[in-house]
Amino acid sequence: MSIVVCDVPDPADWIRKSWVKGLLAEAVPGGFEAYARVLHPAGFEDRAGLRPVTWGTVATLHGHEVHADSRWDDIAESAVTAESSGASIWNRKPVEGSLSPETAGVLGRVLANHTTTPVIVWLCAWDGWAGLRWVTPGREVGLLATGRRRERVWWGDSPKTERIPLPTVQLLGREYVLLRGSIADVGQSVVEPPGWQLTNLWWPDDRSWFVSTPIDGRSTFVGGSEACIEALIRTESVEALAVQTST
C-alpha cells in the first residue's frame, strides 16, 4: 500500500469550482464529455463463497429493467430477497458507500488507459469512516474524529501517541481526508481490518476523469472523455450505464 497523507488540500480545490447540479450534484464535477453510473453488485453467498450478482439479473427476476436512474430497492421489490420467491439468485444487498476492491481494480485498469498521469492519483476518504487509516513513509496512521477535532495518530509498538492537526477537504457539507497514491492503489482499503472501505473520490493529476462513490449510495459515478466512458460501459465485468448530469 503506497497511499500517503497530503499535508495541504490544494489538489482538490478545483472540484468545488467545477461542481454541477442535478442527479450527479453530489457525485462528480462538471465539464466532462460523458458520465457513467457503475452499479455496485448484489451478491449470493453460500458455502462456496460470495459471488457478484448484477442489478440486471435481479431486475429480470422481478420483471423490471435497469435504467440510468434505477433504485436498488425498487428493482429488488423493497429488498425482499429472491429466496422468498422461491429463486436463489441473491442474498446480499449491494454495498453502500464503497466499491468492492475487485470492481475498483477493474475501473482502475480501464481508466489507466485514459490518463497521462496514472502514477499520480488523488484520493479522498470521508473522515467519518470508523477505523480510518493509511500509510505515510515508514508509519501507519489512523484518524480519530471527536466532534470537530481531528487528529493524526501514529499506530505502532511505541505507547507514545503523536497528535498533529490533519487537513481536510470540505465538499458539499462533508469533510474528506486527502490522500495521494497511484492507479494501483484505488482498490486499497483505508480502514483497520477486518473491515474494508475504499476511498470515496479519486482522480488523476491531469484531471482527465473523476470517480465518486457517495457515502450512502449503492452506485459509483464516473466522469471522463467519451472514449473513456464508452470503454467503461463496454467492460463486461462491471455494470455501467451512461447518465446525463441533469438525469
Side-chain angles (χ1 to χ4, degrees):
M1 184 176 181
S2 58
I3 297 177
V4 297
V5 180
C6 296
D7 292 330
V8 294
D10 298 2
D13 285 346
W14 70 278
I15 301 174
R16 285 187 296 271
K17 301 174 184 178
S18 305
W19 224 266
V20 294
K21 295 181 180 180
L23 172 67
L24 308 184
E26 296 188 13
V28 294
F32 292 105
E33 291 180 352
Y35 297 85
R37 181 187 179 195
V38 178
L39 307 177
H40 300 177
F44 181 76
E45 187 172 18
D46 57 15
R47 292 181 179 179
L50 177 65
R51 63 176 181 269
V53 179
T54 66
W55 290 34
T57 299
V58 178
T60 299
L61 173 69
H62 294 292
H64 298 295
E65 294 183 357
V66 176
H67 303 286
D69 60 350
S70 293
R71 296 176 64 253
W72 167 256
D73 286 348
D74 292 338
I75 290 175
E77 296 184 343
S78 301
V80 175
T81 63
E83 282 90 344
S84 65
S85 62
S88 297
I89 300 297
W90 67 278
N91 54 19
R92 294 291 182 272
K93 296 179 183 180
V95 174
E96 288 189 358
S98 182
L99 284 167
S100 68
E102 295 78 14
T103 302
V106 173
L107 262 63
R109 289 189 291 275
V110 173
L111 298 178
N113 296 319
H114 299 273
T115 176
T116 60
T117 58
V119 296
I120 303 178
V121 174
W122 303 98
L123 310 98
C124 284
W126 179 51
D127 74 347
W129 297 125
L132 189 64
R133 69 156 191 172
W134 51 88
V135 173
T136 58
R139 297 181 177 182
E140 286 191 354
V141 180
L143 177 69
L144 296 183
T146 306
R148 302 298 296 175
R149 183 184 181 189
R150 291 168 178 82
E151 301 172 319
R152 192 185 303 181
V153 180
W154 305 121
W155 300 88
D157 297 332
S158 171
K160 182 180 179 180
T161 299
E162 182 180 356
R163 288 180 166 82
I164 306 172
L166 185 68
T168 57
V169 178
Q170 188 173 70
L171 298 170
L172 294 175
R174 294 192 176 102
E175 293 195 46
Y176 298 85
V177 178
L178 181 63
L179 312 170
R180 174 175 168 165
S182 73
I183 197 70
D185 299 313
V186 299
Q188 296 283 357
S189 176
V190 292
V191 300
E192 290 290 302
W196 61 269
Q197 171 66 50
L198 306 192
T199 52
N200 299 94
L201 313 173
W202 37 287
W203 66 95
D205 197 50
D206 64 4
R207 304 177 189 173
S208 55
W209 43 257
F210 190 92
V211 177
S212 173
T213 306
I215 65 171
D216 54 358
R218 294 189 172 105
S219 301
T220 290
F221 295 92
V222 183
S225 66
E226 291 184 358
C228 173
I229 298 305
E230 288 176 3
L232 181 59
I233 292 173
R234 290 197 307 267
T235 302
E236 294 183 358
S237 50
V238 295
E239 190 175 18
L241 303 169
V243 294
Q244 302 296 323
T245 55
S246 60
T247 299

